[in-house]
């Protein structure tokens, strides 16, 4: 999905709605009249939910996606690997990480055998992924 058309929705570790899970994240398309609201279980939204993000340059989109990644992991406490797995659905995230030589791993969406993957051997959580209509939801498996 293009970042200019992708909403990021999440719950911080200590902030969630009754139907949401703490530390969860989802990415999906902008909502239009008649669409089901896939963002409902989440307390926060960003990405293209912010109108200005829909019309910025590719380079600014890439920077903004990396800024979102940092904010979700550092400010809201989401596991970086969980955010990474969700962001693999965003074209600009894949483009910038591949340009840095740290693209998706062999078992991840968008893996390119001609681009290295940059993850070190630190432990990562088991990830539960669910698809709801055209959105993708990620949780650390419990």
């Amino acid at each position: 999905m293009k970042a200019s058309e992708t909403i990021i929705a999440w719950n911080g570790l200590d902030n969630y709605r009754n139907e949401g899970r703490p530390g969860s994240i989802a990415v999906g398309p902008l909502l239009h009249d008649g669409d089901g609201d896939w963002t409902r279980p989440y307390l926060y939204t960003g990405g293209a939910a912010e109108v200005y993000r829909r019309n910025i340059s590719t380079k600014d989109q890439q920077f903004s996606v990396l800024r979102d990644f940092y904010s979700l992991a550092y400010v809201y406490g989401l596991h970086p690997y969980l955010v990474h797995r969700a962001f693999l659905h965003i074209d600009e995230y894949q483009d910038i990480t591949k340009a840095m030589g740290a693209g998706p791993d062999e078992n991840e969406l968008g893996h390119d055998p001609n681009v290295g993957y940059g993850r070190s051997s630190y432990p990562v959580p088991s990830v539960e992924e669910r698809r709801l209509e055209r959105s993708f939801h990620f949780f650390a498996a419990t």
Side-chain angles (χ1 to χ4, degrees):
M1 295 180 280
K2 300 304 271 176
S4 62
E5 302 167 353
T6 303
I7 295 175
I8 303 164
W10 70 94
N11 290 321
L13 286 179
D14 57 354
N15 296 308
Y16 58 95
R17 296 182 180 204
N18 290 335
E19 66 269 26
R21 288 167 64 176
S24 57
I25 183 171
V27 294
L30 288 168
L31 298 170
H32 300 286
D33 289 338
D35 289 348
D37 185 1
W38 61 265
T39 68
R40 184 182 167 108
Y42 301 94
L43 187 57
Y44 303 103
T45 57
E50 300 175 31
V51 176
Y52 84 92
R53 293 279 297 271
R54 299 176 193 174
N55 294 307
I56 59 177
S57 71
T58 299
K59 184 174 273 190
D60 287 341
Q61 284 289 9
Q62 290 173 342
F63 173 76
S64 294
V65 167
L66 289 179
R67 186 183 65 217
D68 291 339
F69 182 97
Y70 176 83
S71 178
L72 290 167
Y74 183 73
V75 177
Y76 293 95
L78 277 68
H79 194 287
Y81 183 67
L82 197 65
V83 179
H84 166 74
R85 288 287 300 272
F87 276 30
L88 287 175
H89 290 275
I90 303 172
D91 297 345
E92 289 80 358
Y93 178 77
Q94 280 200 33
D95 293 343
I96 194 68
T97 58
K98 287 178 183 179
M100 295 183 319
D105 201 344
E106 293 172 319
N107 63 342
E108 296 175 342
L109 179 67
H111 174 71
D112 181 344
N114 298 314
V115 176
Y117 41 93
R119 186 174 321 100
S120 64
S121 59
Y122 69 87
V124 297
S126 296
V127 174
E128 181 182 336
E129 178 179 353
R130 293 185 188 156
R131 185 167 184 167
L132 176 63
E133 298 176 5
R134 297 180 300 148
S135 60
F136 302 88
H137 302 252
F138 296 83
F139 316 92
T142 55

